[in-house]
Amino acid sequence: MAFEGLTERLQNAMTNLRRKGKVSESDLRQTMREIRLALLEADVNFTVVKDFVKTVRERALGAKVLEGLNPAQQIVKIVDEELTKTMGETAVPLNQSDKIPTIIMMAGLQGAGKTTTVGKLALKLKNEQNARPMMIAADIYRPAAIEQLQQVGSQIDVPVFQLGTDVDPVEIVRQGLAQAKENHNDYVFIDTAGRLQIDEQLMEELANIKALAHPDEILLVIDAMTGQNAVNTAQGFDDKLDVTGVVLTKLDGDTRGGAALSIRAVTGKPIKFVGQGEKMTDLDVFHPDRMANRILG
Ligand code: GDP
């Protein structure tokens, strides 16, 4: 289960506090030490942990929690609020173009869940807005990638534009966009290539696609199971592409929580959606406050 260890450790820290009734400064220090270790063990970015603990401690002292009637509850509330803030405070909707189509470019490492997420998002828009999306297959390096996108397309009844593997991806996107305009599609998804790790050639290609397509949204798809690496990957993509949002996938797995808690704080980019399973309906809007509650258990 996601966040299992983190939830347990945070709850333990709070339970120890509750037992005390009255909380001394050294009790608070002990609690903050436990929270710090819990976050580090969950693979949360070191700087994020440091800032988090400092803020919670300062707020607890400032609120005169130590003199209060129910210090443990107050500290739980502060931790909850600060977790929410760390993850971005409020849900951030998909960017919309004021004229159709809204162009959404997907980026991410191979296996992160790009193709699956394109399908999930397209289906969500169809179901919720009666949208008429189209998907462009711009990953020419794995023949199976085009096939996979076509399978997703037929599953959710969304057309896929593809020109095989012999045409330059930028040209595929150019022709795909022209087709979408002709067909009056209101959303176009560009499914791009991924690699096992970030490399210059991939980044160059993505930058070229961006320059041509002027996407309204560049969604970076990140596998939540990869912890600190997820954060480094996000930073790498963002430096080159200036992404507009993140989709965190595989939150149904037993991720420790590091990616969910670090990405926003490190990159400044909002997590917009979370993938919570392999089915096309397993995509949810990311709500930082609900995620904080889930983490606290
Ligand atoms: P891509 O290489 O980035 O396009 O990744 P894919 O879309 O092919 O996904 C890689 C694998 O991860 C596939 O087996 C997907 O079913 C799986 N996957 C994607 N998103 C999720 C998710 O949210 N939860 C789970 N459990 N699996 C996912």
Side-chain angles (χ1 to χ4, degrees):
M1 212 177 74
F3 313 128
E4 203 163 17
L6 179 57
T7 301
E8 195 182 318
R9 294 195 62 150
L10 288 176
Q11 280 179 349
N12 284 346
M14 304 300 176
T15 309
N16 290 343
L17 204 61
R18 273 199 189 96
R19 279 209 199 96
K20 304 270 180 183
K22 202 165 160 36
V23 175
S24 69
E25 193 153 351
S26 94
D27 295 333
L28 179 65
R29 207 175 304 126
Q30 174 65 22
T31 302
M32 292 321 301
R33 194 155 39 223
E34 287 166 20
I35 291 176
R36 181 172 162 274
L37 282 174
L39 292 170
L40 286 175
E41 212 157 276
D43 215 12
V44 179
N45 173 278
F46 179 74
T47 311
V48 175
V49 174
K50 224 173 80 184
D51 292 348
F52 183 87
V53 167
K54 184 164 172 272
T55 310
V56 171
R57 193 182 138 73
E58 276 169 6
R59 278 191 63 189
L61 289 171
K64 299 206 186 332
V65 160
L66 305 185
E67 296 158 29
L69 277 179
N70 199 330
Q73 258 173 18
Q74 289 185 58
I75 291 174
V76 172
K77 185 162 175 281
I78 293 173
V79 169
D80 190 358
E81 286 170 5
E82 290 302 323
L83 283 176
T84 304
K85 220 181 271 174
T86 303
M87 290 186 288
E89 205 96 66
T90 52
V92 182
L94 211 52
N95 293 345
Q96 296 279 337
S97 166
D98 44 19
K99 56 180 196 311
I100 67 162
T102 291
I103 300 170
I104 302 169
M105 174 176 169
M106 311 297 288
L109 295 182
Q110 190 175 312
K114 278 184 305 300
T115 306
T116 312
T117 303
V118 169
K120 288 175 174 178
L121 254 180
L123 181 64
K124 198 175 185 56
L125 292 168
K126 262 183 77 159
N127 289 344
E128 291 175 6
Q129 304 180 16
N130 234 341
R132 296 178 54 246
M134 185 189 103
M135 313 194 279
I136 299 176
D139 179 358
I140 59 165
Y141 304 102
R142 292 184 309 130
I146 299 178
E147 211 170 288
Q148 188 194 346
L149 189 64
Q150 283 175 318
Q151 268 169 19
V152 166
S154 65
Q155 207 180 325
I156 59 172
D157 198 18
V158 167
V160 173
F161 181 90
Q162 59 102 9
L163 292 173
T165 55
D166 294 332
V167 180
D168 182 70
V170 177
E171 178 58 20
I172 297 174
V173 170
R174 197 185 65 73
Q175 292 192 34
L177 290 175
Q179 167 110 70
K181 279 187 190 130
E182 215 168 279
N183 294 349
H184 304 289
N185 293 106
D186 43 12
Y187 288 92
V188 178
F189 288 93
I190 306 172
D191 190 23
T192 62
R195 300 269 204 282
L196 292 177
Q197 52 197 171
I198 293 178
D199 68 51
E200 270 307 306
Q201 198 202 341
L202 168 69
M203 284 302 170
E204 215 40 58
E205 179 176 304
L206 294 176
N208 290 338
I209 292 177
K210 175 184 174 179
L212 174 103
H214 300 296
D216 304 287
E217 183 88 73
I218 302 178
L219 285 181
L220 180 60
V221 180
I222 294 281
D223 181 342
M225 304 287 287
T226 56
Q228 283 291 309
N229 276 339
V231 180
N232 297 336
T233 304
Q235 186 90 73
F237 273 93
D238 192 41
D239 285 348
K240 191 77 187 185
L241 286 177
D242 193 13
V243 307
T244 54
V246 174
V247 181
L248 207 52
T249 62
K250 309 186 194 181
L251 268 182
D252 51 311
D254 57 357
T255 167
R256 283 184 286 167
L261 276 167
S262 308
I263 281 185
R264 171 69 191 240
V266 171
T267 66
K269 298 303 164 69
I271 301 174
K272 294 196 171 183
F273 298 95
V274 287
Q276 320 226 52
E278 294 191 85
K279 291 201 304 291
M280 281 294 116
T281 45
D282 292 333
L283 185 80
D284 297 296
V285 171
F286 180 73
H287 292 279
D289 52 344
R290 291 182 206 168
M291 195 56 75
N293 289 341
R294 188 171 148 190
I295 289 171
L296 282 175

